[in-house]
Amino acid sequence: MHTVVVGTSGVTASDVLAVARGGARVELAGEAVAALGAAREIVEALAAKPDPVYGVSTGFGALATRHISRELRAQLQRNIVRSHAAGMGPRVEREVVRALMFLRLKTVCSGHTGVRPEVAQTMADILNAGITPVVHEYGSLGCSGDLAPLSHCALTLMGEGDAEGPDGEVRPAGELLAAHGIAPVELREKEGLALLNGTDGMLGMLVMALADLDLLYKSADVTAALSLEGLLGTDKVLAPELHAIRPHPGQGAAAANMLAVLKGSGLTGHHQDDAPRVQDAYSVRCAPQVAGAGRDTIAHARVVAERELASAVDNPVVLPDGRVESNGNFHGAPVAYVLDFLAIAVADLASIAERRTDRLLDKNRSHGLPPFLADDAGVDSGLMIAQYTQAALVSELKRLAVPASADSIPSSAMQEDHVSMGWSAARKLRTAVDNLTRVLAVELYAATRAIELREGLAPAPASQAVIDAVRAAGVQGAGPDRFLAPDLAAADAFVRGGELVAAVEKVTGPLQ
């Protein structure tokens, strides 16, 4: 099994995906163990002094003014975890929780948190055992980190609360730890706080969304090209020299992908035939501009994610010169903003795909296709309601595009008076990515049927490869009305699993 080694300088997006989705094992680098030990010595030296130090010998948040005596400090650390594990609502997905735990471990291993090496090792052991704490949907404001979600993970570390075992069964965490030979952790000064103060949940969801969107933006270029063929559009608007004079990188990549798919098509260039048109509609002609803008947004979001992956987010932090300083690095604004930016881009990409689908189904705008691509219009409804479903998804995506990061609700008796809502931005982006996949699946379904109905005209080799592959995957072609939901589900799985892009790349080579 693949192993990810965690050092002091952060991790990569590939590491996160390997642990969260691939079940990779986690090991601590020697440098991380050394850094953990050195930082812990600093914390213990401060803990021995009479002067109060935030997070070491004081309360937290609005209660930070109270100095805590030595005999109460272990109880203080237990109490912060128990009291902050206050999440509610549905369970969060296993991959999100694994990303959350792994990214917290990444910061712990930086040597800036003051956590003992044995605590970090236990975190790794829990990941390696396939134990997943039960984390709930609601509880994070994205400031002071993802407090409630991380607290539920820390609760498992203490052998308390509930967790899911590798068999998928939810059991008391203490039982699961015992079954895997893992001793619960007795938290000491600062450790409870250090386990809770991070942007790890929102960052993990950002990393996974970026991976998903890489695939979906390529998929969108393919479905846009198929729709262009189905509508007998022109590929002249995709010429590299046109995009070179407006040099947005994403736009050029999208146009190049569409052009690669359409190479050798007998369906393009018929816009001057029986019903001549000077230009294709915006949803066809401007596909690279819209998809390209989304690609450039993804590129910006990736820069933010990479910076965050290299960060040590905690409060207070242990500095190399021995100081333990309070800071505001736990504020989720940098991550929250790009999560919201991506939700906007996703909504717009879905919106333009739905407009192309509607055009394929409208006999007044489809340039010779039957109404709703029906076999016997009137007797058959064709794909009429498939477009309704697509429209409902797009409408939901527009609501999900309303930014979470523009909101703030003060908390902790006005001590934490401005929060990022980054966790909420991440949760709605996950739904948006899911729904974009469905929208593209409907466009794929309509466009492939439209191409097949253009009798006597041969599609591009790459388009034909898609049609062959999607039919082999159980998505049926043109014909009388039938139970449509299974076809749409099969098309969704075809896009979601990467088979659409794979079918094209067998002909075109790698897409951009």
Side-chain angles (χ1 to χ4, degrees), residues 458-472:
S463 303
Q464 188 61 57
V466 168
I467 293 170
D468 293 343
V470 80
R471 298 291 173 256

Side-chain angles (χ1 to χ4, degrees), residues 20-34:
R21 291 180 166 173
R25 290 185 58 80
V26 177
E27 289 183 4
L28 308 186
E31 64 171 13
V33 175

